[in-house]
Amino acid sequence: EAEVAQSPRYKITEKSQAVAFWCDPISGHATLYWYRQILGQGPELLVQFQDESVVDDSQLPKDRFSAERLKGVDSTLKIQPAELGDSAMYLCASSHVPGRSEKLFFGSGTQLSVL
Amino acid sequence: DQQVKQNSPSLSVQEGRISILNCDYTNSMFDYFLWYKKYPAEGPTFLISISSIKDKNEDGRFTVFLNKSAKHLSLHIVPSQPGDSAVYFCAASAGETSGSRLTFGEGTQLTVNP
């Protein structure tokens, strides 16, 4: 069964360092999302791509976060510099039906700890 | 401003009994609601959804009820099984095709005891 692949599974870094997360969506899925889930809260959308284009990044803290999907396939989310409050689970999701919520497939996430 | 709230962080039930998970929302623009299930070390998976034109949707052991006047929905699992133990997230959007604008609740940890 096809899955959304994310790496690394866990990342520990010190504040002010740079970190990057990678996501490979299910093959053929044109829509890709990055979510952040802080402990005790629900996932929150950071950015949505349609192919290589950003559709929605209104919730992305652009002073320190950046996301790219250069060839419209895999994607990288970067934080520079990391802050203590960035500790969270970063989830990637993909869909072959843009906008259809129930068609979202999530990866297992990257757990970030900022010390 | 928490537009989708799940007031119970945890729920424990016996195997075979009914599990009822609750969710409240405040945004009147929400008209499509979903439940996701999340096991440890895995991403959330879609469970069941309901449109605001309905007040009930059933899929096997899972039923979602929507009370629009109270801005409340609930997920019923009957009978509950130990494999149902997971975190359940309620989510809402303004429009069935507004997947990018899902607003999630905080989640409820369900534990089903054998």
Side-chain angles (χ1 to χ4, degrees):
Chain A
E1 184 176 316
E3 294 182 345
V4 176
Q6 289 189 248
S7 66
R9 290 296 302 272
Y10 303 94
K11 180 69 178 178
I12 299 174
T13 191
E14 294 183 347
K15 66 178 183 178
S16 79
Q17 295 297 303
V19 291
F21 316 128
W22 178 79
C23 172
D24 190 11
I26 294 172
S27 178
H29 283 197
T31 310
L32 184 147
Y33 307 82
W34 282 101
Y35 282 85
R36 175 175 61 184
Q37 185 189 357
I38 296 171
L39 188 63
Q41 299 181 21
E44 174 190 31
L45 179 70
L46 291 175
V47 62
Q48 178 190 355
F49 289 92
Q50 183 65 30
D51 297 308
E52 67 276 10
S53 300
V54 173
V55 173
D56 184 352
D57 64 356
S58 58
Q59 302 301 312
L60 188 71
K62 299 182 189 63
D63 57 335
R64 297 184 300 107
F65 287 64
S66 65
E68 60 183 18
R69 194 184 183 199
L70 293 175
K71 297 182 179 179
V73 181
D74 59 335
S75 175
T76 302
L77 178 69
K78 297 179 182 177
I79 308 175
Q80 182 173 18
E83 296 181 352
L84 296 177
D86 296 331
S87 295
M89 173 74 78
Y90 290 82
L91 293 162
C92 179
S94 71
S95 172
H96 68 287
V97 184
R100 290 301 301 240
S101 313
E102 67 269 28
K103 300 299 185 184
L104 285 182
F105 293 86
F106 284 87
S108 300
T110 294
Q111 181 67 54
L112 173 67
S113 297
V114 182
L115 307 178
Chain B
D1 177 26
Q2 190 69 23
Q3 297 185 62
V4 178
K5 276 202 72 65
Q6 296 175 252
N7 290 311
S8 298
S10 62
L11 174 68
S12 182
V13 300
Q14 285 298 120
E15 180 178 6
R17 307 295 283 266
I18 184 172
S19 295
I20 300 177
L21 296 94
N22 294 302
C23 177
D24 297 293
Y25 63 96
T26 58
N27 190 336
S28 300
M29 298 300 291
F30 289 151
D31 60 1
Y32 194 64
F33 306 90
L34 308 93
W35 286 92
Y36 285 83
K37 179 169 70 174
K38 185 181 183 302
Y39 292 117
E42 295 183 15
T45 55
F46 169 72
L47 188 58
I48 193 170
S49 63
I50 187 167
S51 167
S52 60
I53 62 173
K54 296 183 177 181
D55 55 18
K56 175 182 174 182
N57 188 27
E58 189 173 351
D59 183 2
R61 297 185 297 112
F62 303 90
T63 303
V64 56
F65 295 92
L66 175 62
N67 182 334
K68 290 186 290 292
S69 61
K71 293 190 175 68
H72 176 84
L73 63 156
S74 60
L75 175 68
H76 292 210
I77 307 173
V78 182
S80 301
Q81 300 174 355
D84 296 329
S85 297
V87 176
Y88 289 78
F89 290 102
C90 169
S93 67
E96 195 168 335
T97 57
S98 298
S100 67
R101 281 295 177 187
L102 276 180
T103 300
F104 285 85
E106 306 95 321
T108 296
Q109 171 69 59
L110 173 66
T111 302
V112 181
N113 301 301

